[in-house]
Amino acid sequence: MRRNPERRAALLDAAIEVLADDGARGLTFRSVDRRAGVPAGTASNYFANREEILTQAGERVYERLVPDEAVLAAGLAGPRDRAKLAELMHEVVERVAAFPAGFLALLELRLEATRRPELREVLTRRVRADLDANTGYHEQSGLPGDSTAVVSLWLALNWLILERLTLPDLFTPEQRHALVVALVDRLTGQPQP
């Protein structure tokens, strides 16, 4: 297997795009090569099989969704109140929605994971790590709400992002904004002042 990390990342990014556009059934070595704009056979030089592309694409989505250090630092600065938590939740929704192919690819990967134990294992590990990181960050930050509120926000915001990407006209931007604020208020038990 080839080890050029930039080429591997570009191939995985192409696989994410294929998953988002064509679904898991459309993911082939040929489709990845085409989407990446590389010669036919390139993906097969980097991945042993389709299963490996699927599992590594799942890993790659999470790599690309990690917030940068400035966002994490901003969350720890200033007041630790409901308004700050709502601000952070808006940032999460915007950051994830700004990478629609990643979110849609994850949906395809989750469906595929119901039939592929190895993929299910990878996604379970990544989602658990994401939840643990979010809960740990929240506890460190001193923001309102407990770990159950964090998990509940994570679940609700994921569905809100799904609606935004798949049925964009269901809620207006103002309605989505108000829903995030309402979720924070209700799940932390601290209504807006």
Side-chain angles (χ1 to χ4, degrees), residues 57-113:
E59 294 276 1
R60 178 72 176 152
V61 170
Y62 278 96
E63 288 172 12
R64 290 186 57 188
L65 285 174
V66 172
D68 63 34
E69 291 299 318
V71 169
L72 295 173
L76 299 174
R80 307 292 206 280
D81 57 11
R82 187 227 36 93
K84 173 62 92 172
L85 181 57
E87 176 186 318
L88 291 171
M89 296 303 98
H90 289 298
E91 187 282 326
V92 168
V93 170
E94 293 306 313
R95 179 170 32 87
V96 175
F99 181 31
F103 191 86
L104 296 172
L106 277 178
L107 294 176
E108 285 291 332
L109 289 168
R110 283 176 175 231
L111 292 172
E112 195 66 20

Side-chain angles (χ1 to χ4, degrees), residues 33-55:
D33 288 339
R34 246 190 329 267
R35 186 62 60 102
V38 297
T42 302
S44 64
N45 287 325
Y46 282 82
F47 307 100
N49 52 44
R50 189 170 177 274
E51 183 84 21
E52 189 176 354
I53 293 175
L54 287 166
T55 57

Side-chain angles (χ1 to χ4, degrees), residues 139-179:
E139 289 170 353
Q140 176 190 4
S141 73
L143 289 162
D146 59 11
S147 61
T148 300
V150 172
V151 173
S152 298
L153 281 166
W154 182 86
L155 290 167
L157 293 181
N158 270 299
W159 200 264
L160 183 63
I161 294 164
L162 173 69
E163 298 298 348
R164 179 176 172 175
L165 295 177
T166 61
L167 301 173
D169 299 325
L170 185 62
F171 299 113
T172 66
E174 295 79 18
Q175 288 171 318
R176 285 192 300 268
H177 188 281
L179 285 167

Side-chain angles (χ1 to χ4, degrees), residues 62 110 120-136 147 151 154:
Y62 278 96
R110 283 176 175 231
R120 182 173 47 248
E121 189 177 308
V122 166
L123 292 179
T124 300
R125 180 177 41 79
R126 286 306 307 215
V127 170
R128 172 56 51 206
D130 185 44
L131 278 170
D132 290 347
N134 280 295
T135 303
S147 61
V151 173
W154 182 86

